Amino acid sequence: MIVLGIESSCDETGAALVREDGRVLSDVVASQVALHAPYGGVVPELASRAHLRAIMPVVEQALAVLPDGLARVDAIAVTEGPGLVGALLVGIQAAKAIAWSRGLPIVGVSHLDGHLLAPYLTRPAEGDGARPSTAGVPAMPYVALLASGGHTALYEVRSPLDIELLGQTRDDAAGEAYDKVAKLVGLGYPGGPIVDRLAQKGDPSAVALPRPMAGRGLELSFSGLKTAVAQHVAQHGAPADEQGLADLCASFQRVVVSVLVDKSLRACEARGIPRLVLTGGVAANRGLRAHAREACDRAGVELFVPPVASCTDNAAMIAYAGALRLLERGPRADEIVPYSRDPERRRGRM
Ligand code: KG4
Ligand code: ZN
């Protein structure tokens, strides 16, 4: 089975072809980062319009790897939420129109399920259909930390259709905190990669910052930490030189990373599951990867971190999650019905 995945929940327009075994045949992402950078965050109306311009070229590019294009596709999977409503609608309407024209089934996929199942994607660069030997793939059940610009939460993944939320942020997502701290001290957008890079050169004990939700089960919070950075800047001024910036970034990053890793391991222990997956854009963070690796080794927990292209927003993860839903529940399950030519069919969910 080959599934065409479409993703447009935030600021990346994505289309991908994926087989039901996780093999990625194509994965195209049109990023809107440059469009939103002047505003320091995603502007929803601009995002919707940019998705409209990008969606068909991106889909066509994804299909171009198949000699027969759409004729070889068996189903369409599209992100149905969570996300920006106007942005989601562009992907959903495109998916419906393509499905209607070819009589293909469409399955609606949660963006979060896509992120959580991303470790099973295998990309061409990883060689000849084989699973990547260094990263491996986790057996189920596993604990997953999903940390991105919109979400930060811990899950137990028991099967593709049996996923339990264990704890989540009460306010800002971790990536959002990175982006806001970067904006506060005049770094660019998105802030995560810039703060990460600067943090490598800084002293993590230079600025004392609070550890949010230290004793509180699996709950997380990043808004107070961001405010603590804002207060530090208000009192001492924004760091004037590169070393001062690096010290502040390193101090902030140390707290974020240590809270994320501690809570993740706490979740593994609480559930008796010695397998941890890091996913979402923040899983690209070098500090998080390194600290998680050390802490997992110490705790006897196996760590799985998919390649960055699978962690950040992409349509391959949506296609794969959709393929699994179709296989487990059958073609009519969860189906979004395109504006139907058949008066007997129920109307679509969106
Ligand atoms: O998963 P993603 O591409 O999109 C969302 O679903 O949000 O994640 C984007 C987020 C942004 O907030 C970005 O600053 C953050 O992930 N991010 C990072 C790093 N790379 C991306 N945060 C920390 N360190 C990084 N290296
Ligand atoms: Zn995402």
Side-chain angles (χ1 to χ4, degrees), residues 45-347:
E45 182 58 26
L46 293 182
S48 309
R49 292 172 193 216
H51 283 306
L52 267 179
R53 286 191 295 273
I55 190 82
M56 288 321 293
V58 163
V59 167
E60 277 162 15
Q61 202 183 327
L63 288 171
V65 296
L66 295 177
D68 312 327
L70 206 47
R72 287 285 311 282
V73 170
D74 301 294
I76 299 181
V78 62
T79 305
E80 62 175 4
L84 303 170
V85 171
L88 286 164
L89 274 172
V90 175
I92 291 169
Q93 298 309 327
K96 281 184 170 184
I98 297 166
W100 183 82
S101 71
R102 297 293 176 126
L104 291 171
I106 323 181
V107 64
V109 171
S110 156
H111 181 80
L112 308 177
D113 289 0
H115 275 302
L116 294 173
L117 298 168
Y120 296 103
L121 294 174
T122 50
R123 295 175 177 275
E126 290 155 5
D128 215 17
R131 298 290 187 195
S133 55
T134 47
V137 290
M140 290 183 183
Y142 55 85
V143 168
L145 169 70
L146 166 52
S148 70
H151 307 277
T152 298
L154 284 157
Y155 298 86
E156 179 178 331
V157 181
R158 290 187 282 267
S159 85
L161 302 183
D162 185 11
I163 296 175
E164 183 185 347
L165 176 67
L166 303 178
Q168 63 183 324
T169 180
R170 292 192 177 178
D171 38 59
D172 289 0
E176 188 182 356
Y178 266 98
D179 295 338
K180 287 179 175 169
V181 162
K183 192 174 177 183
L184 203 71
V185 291
L187 300 171
Y189 172 83
I194 306 170
V195 171
D196 187 14
R197 186 167 36 77
L198 279 165
Q200 309 301 314
K201 297 182 267 178
D203 170 8
S205 54
V207 181
L209 294 168
R211 259 177 74 87
M213 294 282 176
R216 301 235 189 168
L218 300 178
E219 296 292 298
L220 295 149
S221 161
F222 295 99
S223 153
L225 176 61
K226 171 197 67 190
T227 304
V229 173
Q231 282 169 347
H232 175 84
V233 169
Q235 268 173 16
H236 302 90
D241 59 8
E242 171 116 352
Q243 191 56 50
L245 270 176
D247 288 348
L248 182 59
C249 289
S251 303
F252 167 76
Q253 176 150 309
R254 176 159 83 173
V255 175
V256 175
V257 162
S258 107
V259 167
L260 290 175
V261 172
D262 285 4
K263 299 267 171 167
S264 300
L265 287 178
R266 195 181 285 202
C268 290
E269 199 185 333
R271 292 293 162 137
I273 298 174
R275 285 172 294 279
L276 174 66
V277 166
L278 304 183
T279 186
V282 179
N285 187 274
R286 278 176 288 177
L288 177 63
R289 286 173 177 238
H291 184 53
R293 176 90 38 220
E294 274 167 36
C296 284
D297 281 352
R298 255 184 281 123
V301 168
E302 239 185 315
L303 178 68
F304 301 88
V305 192
V308 173
S310 295
C311 286
T312 53
D313 283 353
N314 66 87
M317 67 186 193
I318 302 302
Y320 180 63
L324 295 186
R325 286 196 101 76
L326 285 165
L327 286 176
E328 295 219 1
R329 288 200 178 163
R332 297 299 290 266
D334 299 331
E335 197 178 332
I336 293 176
V337 179
Y339 301 114
S340 183
R341 287 174 285 196
D342 173 359
E344 295 301 307
R345 294 184 93 185
R346 68 186 165 84
R347 301 247 322 267

